[in-house]
Amino acid sequence: MSEPEIHTPTERGLLPEDEDPSIGLVLEAEAAQAKLEADSVEPEQELLTVNMGPHHPATHGVLRLVVSLQGETVLEVKPVLGYLHTGIEKSCEDKSYWKVIPFVERMDYLSYFFNMEAYCGAVERLLGIEIPPRAKYLRVLHMELNRIHSHLVWLGTSALDLGAISMFWYCFRERDRVLDLFEMSSGQRMHTRYFQVGGVFEDIPVGFAERLTAFCDEMPSRIDQYEALLDRNEIFLHRTKNVGIVSKERLLELGVTGPLLRAAGEPWDLRKVTDYLAYKDFEFSIPVGTVGDGYDRYRVRLQEMRESVKIVQQALEGMPEGPYLHDDRKYVLPPRDELSTSMESLIHHFKLVTEGFRVPPGELYYSVESPRGELGCFVVADGSSKPARVHFRDPSFVNLQSFRDMSVGGYIADMIQNLAMLDPILGGVDR
Amino acid sequence: MLLGEVDFVESTGVMVVKSVLIFIGVFLIVPVLTVVERKLIGRFQARYGPNRVGPGGVMQPLADVGKLLGKQVFRPENAIAFLYAIAPGLVILSGILTLAIIPFGNVEDGVGLYGIDVSIGVLYFFAFSSFAFYGLLLAGWASGSKYSFLGAMRSAAQLISYEVSMGLALLGVVMMAGSLSMTSIVEAQGSIWYVVPQFVGFLIFMISGFAETNRSPFDLPEADAELVQGFQTEYGGMRFGSFLLAEYLEMFVVSGIAVTFFLGGWMGPGPPWLDPVWVVVKILSLIFVFIWVRATLPRVRYDQLMSLGWKVMLPLATLNVLVTAILVTVL
């Protein structure tokens, strides 16, 4: 066996070369403060180091921010991670492939369908199976509903951070309707385990289409209402416009993806760039911003919700007939009724439930466009029924690197706004 | 005492009774306001609001106070004990003292329907309402916490920025009425309420009032998103409750002052015994605006608050005073 190559973070493309790889992760507050005092601050000026979090109303989970303040101005900010580290990636190595699915759902807990798709898609590609068209449509439908749901949570909590408390309830009212739909199709409101290797768990039930149509008809007008509350509000515009601008080049250097990058004017969206699931069948556009400030990020996400509604409508209308699950019994559980008639099925069922299916050796990276950016799953298979390694490229984690660039030099209130518009999910950051 | 323009002298007994009534009134007003606010905000936010305790949730304040009273009296280790303890008291004191000058009606049967009628009404109001900020500052300083400290700094800056425009906004009314006494100002509004000629002043006063009471969108000293709970962060139990109580009290007082100066005080149709009812109705409708704004608007940023105060409100208020002065002299 050859010597394993050692990759530094720079080579992996996580950080630009001139950047200290430890920035954005953990740095001792005292060292940074001493450096700051030597560099930029007059000796008589005092710096206030505030430790925000891990339990703080506005850190969206358990993010800890070590902030050096001069008055109300942020001189240095260091996100400290790890308070929600659950060892999911490591635990996945100890589970058979089909048992990993509910695990990975729980990382980025607002985009569980995307986590499932990234993982299931990677395993399917390793196995070399193509899921049926209906399953593709069902997956797209649920993922786009999930995107709406995730953006609604983002909008509600961000508005709450800016002090517009009522938005939170309006957004959660609509979010509940999305969750009702999830409950209808999969039996669960969150962490549905609806996708599985080879397709989806179940077909959509009777009555689902009607409720989904009603929701899709109503949602655009709801988004109009959110805009009426926020977009025409002078205070909101003052708080978000020209705040937290990071240049497109810098964002690309940092590997930032998703609405943050699109708000800066780069129309990078994996749904258009790569060809996965059935996205090429649908008409939708990629909203982009111009300046890349908080307001653009807000506009881009709001527009994305409208586009998602369009995709959901198209997916429902053009839903092809046919199976929703691959019929290769080596990987997919046979239907219940076959068990009493077919010995083959019984054996497959027994093998799949006890040992699970085996995946031929190999490694594969598969990425999807999650509500926060490129969500990639890297699976290494060693031929057994358990993955040798599961690693996720979580957009929250990568995007969080741009937080310092957004916030340094601004006000502390802007820092909170930047964090809200960044929309990190700590479950995804720490994994 | 400061009983300047009152053309009669009330007996000590009457004054004591009135003091007690005001004190009790405080503890009746605030619970009602809290439950009203929570119900209204609930409706604004497409939910019910409290509806479990008592019919329609009206007993909710009792449950809240009961809970707060039952909390352990706690003080952070690095707090300054004495200041930490008296800060909530100062804030409440300020609220009660300012409440004393709001007239709920004219003199009837030798008893004025107000706490005291001081000849320096406006100055009294400013002296004692600013007093509340000492409470906030001390609370923030004595808590020994960085969030509290930042909150206290913000409230100090806010006080300086808005007190001036608030004073100038009232000055126009004072010039028109030719008196500082609350009752005289209300009586001077017999023909027309000052909200009409002094509309700019009214707007400036109300906006400053939002800042003065630390209410949204100017609730920066207690901005929960960045400063957790600002100067109240380290407080718990009934000391925390005292700050809440004071906030509602201040909201009531600012509305009361606005009613007295701009909305004709007790003026209204109907027999004289309706006077206090009119005052309360007017005050409650202003409080409704406070609650409405809280449910609608986001919070402004610190520097935007400052620039609004100094670059917009202050010049506007000064101009208003100037124009009023010219008109009062000419007409």
Side-chain angles (χ1 to χ4, degrees), chain A residues 48-53 56-58 69 71-72 161-166 169-170 173 229 233 235-236 238-239 243 411-414 416, chain B residues 41 43-47 146-147 149-150 153-154 216-217 219-220 224-229 294-304:
Chain A
L48 183 67
T49 303
V50 182
N51 178 37
M52 282 193 163
H56 184 275
L69 290 176
E72 292 256 334
D161 281 353
L162 290 173
I165 46 175
S166 298
W169 276 272
Y170 302 147
R173 179 182 58 193
L229 257 176
N233 189 320
I235 299 176
F236 180 79
H238 268 107
R239 283 295 304 275
V243 169
Y411 290 98
I412 185 169
D414 286 343
I416 300 299
Chain B
I41 291 257
R43 288 294 164 182
F44 278 123
Q45 292 169 347
R47 54 189 177 86
K146 287 170 181 172
Y147 291 127
F149 177 67
L150 281 172
M153 301 269 282
R154 282 183 174 189
S216 171
D219 52 349
L220 294 158
D224 59 334
E226 56 250 36
L227 296 185
V228 188
Q229 209 31 254
R294 184 183 161 199
T296 313
L297 291 185
R299 184 181 301 119
V300 300
R301 205 173 58 200
Y302 175 71
D303 64 311
Q304 290 163 352

Side-chain angles (χ1 to χ4, degrees), chain A residues 98-397:
Chain A
W98 63 280
K99 286 182 181 169
V100 169
I101 303 172
F103 241 136
V104 296
E105 273 182 279
R106 281 157 176 77
M107 300 189 320
D108 185 343
Y109 43 80
L110 285 186
S111 52
Y112 30 94
F113 280 108
F114 295 91
N115 295 348
M116 276 191 281
E117 170 57 22
Y119 172 75
C120 292
V123 175
E124 280 155 8
R125 276 155 183 74
L126 274 173
L127 292 169
I129 57 176
E130 168 98 12
I131 63 169
R134 190 174 175 85
K136 285 184 180 174
Y137 269 63
L138 283 173
R139 281 190 180 181
V140 168
L141 192 148
H142 282 89
M143 281 162 72
E144 292 308 315
L145 276 178
N146 193 169
R147 191 184 308 277
I148 298 171
H149 147 64
S150 171
H151 280 353
L152 281 172
V153 174
W154 157 80
L155 181 60
T157 51
S158 301
L160 193 66
D161 281 353
L162 290 173
I165 46 175
S166 298
M167 280 302 291
F168 184 77
W169 276 272
Y170 302 147
C171 290
F172 269 58
R173 179 182 58 193
E174 266 69 71
R175 170 186 182 262
D176 258 352
R177 298 188 59 184
V178 180
L179 293 185
D180 287 345
L181 288 167
F182 289 166
E183 191 180 1
M184 228 179 149
S185 63
S186 65
Q188 291 288 326
R189 296 171 72 79
M190 287 179 79
H191 310 309
T192 55
R193 203 205 172 274
Y194 185 61
F195 297 176
Q196 59 176 346
V197 175
V200 297
F201 173 67
E202 239 178 5
D203 210 340
I204 45 173
V206 178
F208 182 83
E210 287 75 37
R211 286 181 68 171
L212 182 60
T213 312
F215 171 76
C216 288
D217 291 342
E218 199 184 327
M219 195 59 206
S221 67
R222 294 294 193 191
I223 300 172
D224 290 342
Q225 289 176 5
Y226 306 149
E227 285 181 338
L229 257 176
L230 293 177
D231 264 12
R232 297 183 204 156
N233 189 320
E234 198 65 23
I235 299 176
F236 180 79
L237 297 181
H238 268 107
R239 283 295 304 275
T240 51
K241 278 196 171 169
N242 295 318
V243 169
I245 300 176
V246 184
S247 70
K248 187 164 77 180
E249 290 71 31
R250 177 70 180 157
L251 288 176
L252 287 169
E253 276 183 341
L254 290 166
V256 173
T257 47
L260 287 184
L261 183 62
R262 291 195 284 275
E266 177 77 28
W268 175 263
D269 192 315
L270 287 173
R271 291 177 293 175
K272 289 278 188 196
V273 175
T274 64
D275 178 29
Y276 70 98
L277 293 179
Y279 277 111
K280 61 179 186 315
D281 298 353
F282 305 121
E283 289 263 327
F284 65 100
S285 42
I286 305 297
V288 289
T290 48
V291 188
D293 54 4
Y295 181 67
D296 275 352
R297 288 166 197 148
Y298 155 80
R299 292 295 307 167
V300 162
R301 286 197 179 94
L302 234 56
Q303 207 55 41
E304 273 182 17
M305 283 202 267
R306 290 182 207 274
E307 297 298 326
S308 292
V309 171
K310 279 186 207 162
I311 298 175
V312 171
Q313 279 170 330
Q314 292 173 45
L316 189 66
E317 278 164 23
M319 182 84 67
E321 293 298 322
Y324 55 87
L325 201 53
H326 200 265
D327 57 358
D328 192 336
R329 297 279 178 262
K330 288 262 182 282
Y331 310 117
V332 178
L333 277 178
R336 200 75 207 167
D337 53 81
E338 270 184 32
L339 295 186
S340 46
T341 54
S342 160
M343 191 64 204
E344 283 280 286
S345 292
L346 199 59
I347 293 167
H348 283 312
H349 187 274
F350 179 73
K351 282 289 282 180
L352 282 174
V353 171
T354 51
E355 193 201 4
F357 52 83
R358 295 184 179 211
V359 176
E363 55 178 61
L364 193 132
Y365 176 80
Y366 171 62
S367 56
V368 296
E369 184 72 26
S370 94
R372 273 158 279 282
E374 178 181 343
L375 176 74
C377 180
F378 178 67
V379 180
V380 181
D382 56 2
S384 74
S385 64
K386 291 172 184 172
R389 176 87 173 97
V390 176
H391 176 72
F392 271 76
R393 181 214 186 268
D394 195 281
S396 299
F397 174 69

Side-chain angles (χ1 to χ4, degrees), chain B residues 34-35 37-39 42 47-53 56-58 60:
Chain B
T34 56
V35 79
E37 162 151 45
R38 289 175 65 178
K39 285 296 248 190
R47 54 189 177 86
Y48 290 108
N51 62 355
R52 296 286 130 185
V53 191
V58 289
Q60 185 66 39

Side-chain angles (χ1 to χ4, degrees), chain B residues 1 42 132 152 166 180 210 227 263:
Chain B
M1 278 297 285
M166 204 176 190
L180 287 167
F210 280 100
L227 296 185
L263 297 179

